[in-house]
């Protein structure tokens, strides 16, 4: 503790926190909800409680290998803090800062369509809620911090590869403008963790790590499902009331809604936020991989980065998750239907609190309409068409998807470079295709019908731009570049960073993080991070195939 302990210890004149014992913990969520009276860590069912107070299990030798300057800024902390041993100790779970209220959340969920009962934070331990630099609230959560009553048969730990993927991807998503939980830090624990990476009976030791995730709330759809499934209506009601009060305060600030109206307004907003989120995923080619209802944020944030992946060649049937290879439930193209199904589960969970739950059905129907409206708007913007033409654009977009699946075509490069394709009616075939050449995985396949199909579509695209789209070339390119990223966290890039860190080199991780902070900008000298998947990565585990092992 410093002598300024009554006030946040500050430096630099900006009121920045320089001492982790001076954080202003508010811990509103644990104060508002019933705690588990038992604090024993052994695996067990916890009823009638929203969380269990539990402490992280210390690790051998914490070492911070990455931290996010933007999250440090958001929290209002002095960046020099991140380089201290105390920072590594706190964000590995070895030391509790003053005012923390460490706990694990209780929730349930549907996994791959089946009700799984109680799940809970099996390896995430929340330190508490702090005030951020803008007067808001952020919850700090350590993932991989040791066992909790919700760990079931597992160890409560996380390996470096999955932690690095969560850390980098949540920051990349933020910079893409996509709602997400954030990552403050990536700390190596100095301990080994044993995992059977491919679930093929070959377990081996891997370096352990802890990510500190940051979000205004970690409440999930499954948070409401669990008490509903047990008939614990008073807990369910308190969870809904607390969520609305803490995370949706505007709903009660502006209008005096009756109880059913309030739940309807809240559910409606959750559905709308979720619709916008999925439209964003579809835009950049993000495939979550495990859209179980416990992995759905009540705030419409991307949460729980596991075996996610980025679409490379445009294949709506693709899933990165080998655990889902059979049914492909969570494939790219199914994400809108799946989150709609997840919203239906949330509606069913909260319905018992209402006299008349029919408005929730109306909300669920609106989700579909809203999703399609936003989706069409989004694709029209990506293609330089400005306002969508609902009559003709649906057909034009279907035709594009037909063309994109006629050969192996990198969708990130295709959309980015489309802004460089001429729209003049007199451009010849070669001029139309030339800017897109980097997108072909096998240039030899772009012949005959495939080539004719591409050229035909590009001509109809150009015509559509000329009649009602963004006609000015520079303006069109600027607008298209603002929604078609140059840099995404390609699966093989994450794996290269993992390989380097496992070999003791963190430079590539730092460079990749830096590049991903400006995904829509051309970054001369960084072209290698925009290249399509190299051949070696096609079948390499961790690049195109990931299991849930983490
Ligand atoms: P996920 O697939 O990450 O959404 O996790 C599903 C459930 O398993 C959640 O309740 C997690 O907390 C739990 N879980 C996943 N990995 C571990 C682990 N290594 N130790 C304890 N619990 C875990
Ligand atoms: Mg989860």
């Amino acid at each position: 503790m410093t002598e300024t302990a009554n006030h946040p210890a500050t430096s630099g004149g900006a009121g920045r926190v320089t001492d982790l014992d001076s954080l202003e913990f508010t811990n509103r969520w644990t104060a508002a909800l019933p705690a588990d009276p038992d604090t024993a860590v052994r695996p067990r069912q916890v009823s009638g409680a929203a969380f269990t107070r539990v402490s992280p299990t210390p690790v051998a030798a914490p070492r911070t290998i990455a931290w996010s300057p933007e999250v440090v800024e958001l929290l209002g902390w002095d960046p020099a803090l991140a380089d201290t041993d105390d920072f590594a100790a706190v964000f590995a779970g070895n030391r509790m800062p003053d005012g923390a209220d460490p706990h694990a959340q209780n929730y349930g969920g549907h996994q791959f369509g089946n009700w799984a009962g109680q799940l809970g934070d099996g390896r995430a331990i929340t330190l508490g809620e702090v005030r951020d630099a803008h007067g808001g609230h952020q919850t700090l959560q350590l993932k991989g911090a040791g066992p909790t009553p919700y760990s079931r048969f597992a160890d409560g730990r996380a390996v470096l590869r999955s932690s690095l993927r969560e850390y980098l991807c949540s920051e990349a998503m933020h910079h893409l403008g996509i709602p997400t939980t954030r990552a403050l830090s990536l700390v190596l624990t100095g301990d080994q963790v044993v995992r059977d990476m491919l679930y093929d009976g070959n377990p081996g030791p891997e370096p352990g790590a802890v990510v500190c995730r940051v979000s205004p709330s970690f409440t999930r759809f499954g948070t409401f499902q669990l008490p509903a499934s047990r008939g614990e209506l008073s807990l369910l009601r308190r969870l809904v009331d607390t969520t609305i009060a803490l995370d949706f305060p505007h709903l009660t600030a502006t209008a005096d809604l009756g109880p059913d109206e309030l739940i309807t307004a809240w559910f409606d907003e959750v559905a709308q936020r979720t619709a916008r989120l999925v439209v964003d995923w579809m835009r950049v080619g993000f495939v979550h991989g495990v859209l179980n209802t416990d992995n759905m944020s009540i705030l419409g944030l991307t949460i729980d980065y596991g075996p996610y992946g980025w679409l490379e060649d445009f294949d709506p049937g693709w899933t990165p998750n080998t655990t889902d290879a059979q049914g492909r439930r969570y494939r790219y193209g199914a994400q809108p239907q799946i989150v709609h199904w997840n919203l239906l589960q949330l509606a069913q969970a909260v319905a018992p609190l209402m006299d008349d739950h029919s408005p929730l059905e109306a909300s669920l129907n609106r989700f579909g309409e809203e999703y399609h409206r936003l989706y069409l708007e989004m694709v029209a913007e990506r293609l330089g068409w400005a306002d969508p033409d609902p009559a003709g654009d649906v057909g034009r977009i279907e035709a594009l998807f037909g063309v994109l699946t006629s050969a192996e075509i990198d969708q990130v490069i295709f959309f980015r470079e489309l802004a460089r394709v001429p729209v003049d009616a007199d451009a010849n075939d070669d001029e139309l295709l030339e800017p897109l050449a980097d997108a072909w995985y096998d240039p030899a396949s772009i012949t005959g019908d495939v080539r004719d199909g591409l050229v035909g579509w590009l001509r109809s695209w150009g015509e559509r731009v000329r009649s009602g789209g963004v006609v000015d070339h520079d303006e069109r390119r600027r607008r298209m570049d603002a929604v078609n990223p140059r840099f995404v966290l390609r699966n093989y890039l994450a794996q290269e960073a993992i390989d380097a860190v496992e070999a003791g080199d963190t430079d590539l991780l730092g460079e990749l993080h830096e590049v991903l902070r400006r995904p829509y900008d051309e970054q001369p000298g960084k072209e290698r991070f925009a290249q399509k998947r190299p051949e070696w990565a096609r079948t390499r585990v961790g690049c195109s195939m990931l299991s849930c092992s983490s």
Side-chain angles (χ1 to χ4, degrees):
M1 292 286 278
T2 67
E3 54 203 330
T4 53
N6 288 335
H7 308 281
T10 61
S11 80
R16 290 194 290 193
V17 174
T18 57
D19 172 359
L20 292 172
D21 281 323
S22 305
L23 299 180
E24 191 185 346
F25 276 99
T26 51
N27 299 335
R28 300 173 306 162
W29 194 84
T30 46
L33 288 162
D36 176 8
D38 188 354
T39 53
V41 168
R42 76 194 139 71
R44 58 198 164 88
Q45 293 293 304
V46 175
S47 53
F51 64 93
T52 302
R53 290 200 162 86
V54 56
S55 293
T57 304
V59 302
R63 184 163 72 89
T64 309
I65 56 168
W67 55 277
S68 162
E70 292 85 6
V71 177
V72 167
E73 179 80 37
L74 166 71
L75 293 167
W77 300 355
D78 185 337
L81 259 183
D83 294 322
T84 62
D85 290 345
D86 190 50
F87 183 92
V90 167
F91 296 108
N94 279 15
R95 187 181 86 74
M96 268 308 112
D98 285 356
D101 187 13
H103 64 275
Q105 201 190 119
N106 191 9
Y107 53 78
H110 279 89
Q111 295 183 314
F112 297 93
N114 304 308
W115 176 244
Q118 176 182 302
L119 295 168
D121 286 336
R123 55 156 161 193
I125 296 181
T126 295
L127 297 183
E129 189 186 20
V130 292
R131 218 176 258 289
D132 69 23
H134 312 290
H137 296 259
Q138 301 293 336
T139 300
L140 308 177
Q141 183 181 83
L142 306 184
K143 186 168 174 181
T148 76
Y150 309 100
S151 299
R152 296 176 292 166
F153 43 83
D155 59 5
R157 293 299 184 190
V159 292
L160 169 65
R161 61 182 156 79
S162 68
S163 307
L164 185 149
R165 282 168 46 84
E166 168 136 20
Y167 171 83
L168 264 187
C169 198
S170 46
E171 289 308 283
M173 291 292 258
H174 168 74
H175 293 293
L176 283 163
I178 302 178
T180 179
T181 62
R182 304 294 302 275
L184 167 68
S185 53
L186 173 60
V187 179
L188 285 175
T189 60
D191 291 322
Q192 300 281 300
V193 174
V194 174
R195 287 289 181 274
D196 184 0
M197 185 163 74
L198 295 177
Y199 294 141
D200 62 358
N202 287 301
E206 298 186 46
V210 175
V211 169
C212 177
R213 309 199 284 191
V214 176
S215 172
S217 160
F218 285 100
T219 302
R220 299 133 189 282
F221 288 11
T223 308
F224 306 94
Q225 285 183 282
L226 183 63
S229 75
R230 291 169 166 172
E232 296 173 350
L233 290 193
S234 76
L235 175 58
L236 178 64
R237 188 175 301 281
R238 282 180 70 177
L239 282 163
V240 171
D241 289 349
T242 302
T243 301
I244 292 174
L246 302 188
D247 302 318
F248 297 79
H250 50 280
L251 292 178
T252 45
T254 47
D256 199 9
L257 302 173
D260 276 18
E261 286 174 317
L262 184 57
I263 293 179
T264 302
W266 169 63
F267 182 80
D268 207 57
E269 186 172 333
V270 174
Q272 301 289 314
R273 287 184 189 215
T274 305
R276 287 198 290 273
L277 175 68
V278 181
V279 169
D280 271 335
W281 290 348
M282 301 307 276
R283 171 169 64 86
V284 298
F286 177 77
V287 189
H288 183 288
V290 201
L291 285 173
N292 293 337
T293 55
D294 61 302
N295 296 340
M296 294 289 297
S297 147
I298 204 68
L299 288 177
L301 309 175
T302 314
I303 190 172
D304 278 2
Y305 293 86
Y308 67 82
W310 293 81
L311 204 57
E312 292 163 334
D313 57 294
F314 187 82
D315 174 5
W318 183 70
T319 173
N321 184 354
T322 52
T323 316
D324 190 26
Q326 281 296 309
R328 292 181 184 262
R329 179 179 172 87
Y330 297 141
R331 63 191 183 276
Y332 170 76
Q335 295 187 117
Q337 292 94 288
I338 287 294
V339 303
H340 185 252
W341 188 87
N342 290 344
L343 281 161
L344 171 64
Q345 308 314 311
L346 175 63
Q348 283 174 351
V350 299
L353 299 179
M354 303 172 76
D355 291 330
D356 169 17
H357 53 75
S358 58
L360 299 182
E361 279 162 43
S363 234
L364 281 166
N365 293 335
R366 243 192 328 278
F367 170 88
E369 292 157 25
E370 184 68 359
Y371 175 79
H372 285 291
R373 190 182 66 76
L374 292 170
Y375 182 78
L376 199 57
E377 254 179 46
M378 176 275 282
V379 181
E381 190 64 25
R382 294 191 80 184
L383 296 175
W385 291 347
D387 294 326
D389 156 25
D393 285 351
V394 173
R396 291 185 186 96
I397 293 166
E398 273 168 15
L400 168 62
F401 293 166
V403 163
L404 284 179
T405 47
S406 68
E408 238 185 323
I409 297 176
D410 190 274
Q411 57 94 22
V412 181
I413 297 176
F414 182 90
F415 280 98
R416 180 73 179 190
E417 298 295 357
L418 187 62
R420 282 92 183 142
V421 172
V423 298
D424 326 55
D426 55 6
N428 68 37
D429 292 1
D430 289 338
E431 286 167 340
L432 291 175
L433 290 174
E434 195 271 329
L436 301 169
D438 277 346
W440 323 136
Y441 275 93
D442 175 13
S445 67
I446 310 298
T447 52
D449 289 351
V450 172
R451 184 182 154 98
D452 293 349
L454 275 163
V455 167
W457 187 83
L458 290 169
R459 291 203 185 283
S460 72
W461 166 78
E463 230 168 85
R464 170 71 178 82
V465 169
R466 294 196 305 274
S467 59
V470 186
V471 182
D472 179 77
H473 176 72
D474 291 340
E475 172 68 0
R476 183 174 66 255
R477 180 164 161 171
R478 190 189 60 70
R479 278 179 63 166
M480 290 174 72
D481 281 0
V483 290
N484 295 313
R486 169 65 79 197
F487 300 98
V488 299
L489 181 57
R490 289 175 177 275
N491 311 312
Y492 80 89
L493 292 174
Q495 187 59 44
E496 285 184 336
I498 292 165
D499 291 343
V501 174
E502 286 184 347
D505 182 356
T506 58
D507 288 354
L508 183 60
L509 168 61
E511 191 182 0
L512 187 51
H513 185 188
E514 190 64 35
V515 167
L516 294 169
R517 289 164 83 182
R518 293 188 294 119
Y520 300 102
D521 293 355
E522 296 299 326
Q523 298 183 41
K526 302 296 180 189
E527 292 80 5
R528 100 154 189 82
F529 296 100
Q531 277 165 9
K532 60 179 173 284
R533 177 196 59 218
E535 262 323 288
W536 63 260
R538 184 184 287 273
T539 49
R540 166 89 198 268
V541 172
C543 295
S544 54
M545 293 176 292
L546 292 132
S547 76
C548 284
S549 158
S550 55

